Amino acid sequence: MTRNYSRLDQLIISIDTALRMSSGETVEAKRPNPATSVPEIVMDEVNRQHAAGLMRINHAGEICAQALYAGQAATARNPEVQAEMQQAADEEIDHLSWCKERLDELESRPSLLAPLWYAGSFAIGAAAGLAGDGWSLGFLKETENQVEAHLEGHIAKLPAEDERSRAILDQMKIDEAKHAQMAEDSGAFDLPRPVRRLMKLTAGAMKAVAYKL
Ligand SMILES: [Fe+2]
Ligand SMILES: [Fe+2]
């Protein structure tokens, strides 16, 4: 009974979190923002909008990360796996918070489709969790690997003078690699190539939309 209540609690908490994040509310980070000591450089309008588009994608990605981890934590069978999912989800809150702060500094806003990103990702995370812990961890590891590669690309695409965004993405990249390693150490299965490809295509569609919307 307790376990059921605990999962129901998790679901309620994650829906509450989703509503708050989707409305653009800033969530509190546990660690200091990596950009804190990096001086702000005033960018021209084109570069500012480009940087904002990239950081909106990263903010949307972190909303997806929240939903994926919440969906998986709600369905994971092994309590240890469940606890690890929760710990990683807590670290993703830092990323979400830092991206939101940067969007504010760039005088921009989160994706208007945030509730949709959250709902879709929660369903995918729950489905991965229901498939079993090995697959769920495999999905997590692949997600984190793809996010790490994506961040590498975004770090290169940022306007050269946007060192504040770059500092945030640098730290996120380190954390995502750590999450992938955690999943591997916990017994992640290797996902079939078509699944990995589908994940890339889905993420690509989300990125194309979130850059503007
Ligand atoms: Fe993240
Ligand atoms: Fe991560």
Side-chain angles (χ1 to χ4, degrees):
M1 281 302 263
T2 313
R3 194 168 167 178
N4 284 341
Y5 279 124
S6 142
R7 295 209 173 193
L8 181 61
D9 284 348
Q10 277 172 14
L11 195 59
I12 290 166
I13 289 165
S14 76
I15 290 169
D16 175 62
T17 309
L19 288 172
R20 291 194 295 121
M21 288 173 190
S22 301
S23 67
E25 187 181 314
T26 302
V27 285
E28 205 177 320
K30 289 206 174 110
R31 291 173 292 171
N33 188 320
T36 305
S37 58
V38 180
E40 179 72 277
I41 304 282
V42 178
M43 285 183 275
D44 68 33
E45 189 55 17
V46 172
N47 279 352
R48 183 189 66 79
Q49 283 196 15
H50 177 54
L54 296 180
M55 292 312 282
R56 182 159 41 253
I57 291 173
N58 291 311
H59 183 267
E62 292 301 331
I63 284 183
C64 292
Q66 282 301 309
L68 286 173
Y69 278 105
Q72 290 184 316
T75 49
R77 292 163 175 83
N78 179 334
E80 268 178 43
V81 170
Q82 213 180 341
E84 277 179 351
M85 298 280 181
Q86 194 54 55
Q87 193 202 325
D90 289 347
E91 290 178 8
E92 304 288 7
I93 286 179
D94 289 350
H95 300 174
L96 187 68
S97 170
W98 300 337
C99 287
K100 176 63 167 56
E101 282 173 12
R102 189 59 189 144
L103 275 174
D104 289 345
E105 288 170 4
L106 291 166
E107 294 171 13
S108 195
R109 51 156 180 82
S111 172
L112 297 173
L113 299 176
L116 183 70
W117 307 137
Y118 190 96
S121 301
F122 187 91
I124 293 170
L130 288 172
D133 288 342
W135 290 116
S136 177
L137 286 163
F139 177 78
L140 199 157
K141 182 186 147 194
E142 178 61 22
T143 302
E144 297 287 6
N145 281 339
Q146 289 190 14
V147 173
E148 193 193 350
H150 149 84
L151 288 171
E152 178 96 51
H154 261 203
I155 288 165
K157 276 188 203 163
L158 277 171
E161 65 269 40
D162 191 1
E163 293 294 342
R164 284 178 74 85
S165 297
R166 192 167 283 109
I168 291 170
L169 299 192
D170 280 343
Q171 184 57 52
M172 281 166 55
K173 188 168 165 289
I174 291 168
D175 293 344
E176 313 305 13
K178 192 180 79 179
H179 296 158
Q181 189 62 50
M182 175 204 85
E184 182 166 342
D185 294 345
S186 304
F189 294 166
D190 279 334
L191 297 188
R193 191 193 292 258
V195 175
R196 297 203 306 260
R197 189 159 162 68
L198 183 65
M199 288 166 69
K200 266 193 192 139
L201 286 172
T202 310
M206 185 277 272
K207 286 184 227 174
V209 174
Y211 182 76
K212 297 208 160 153
L213 276 182

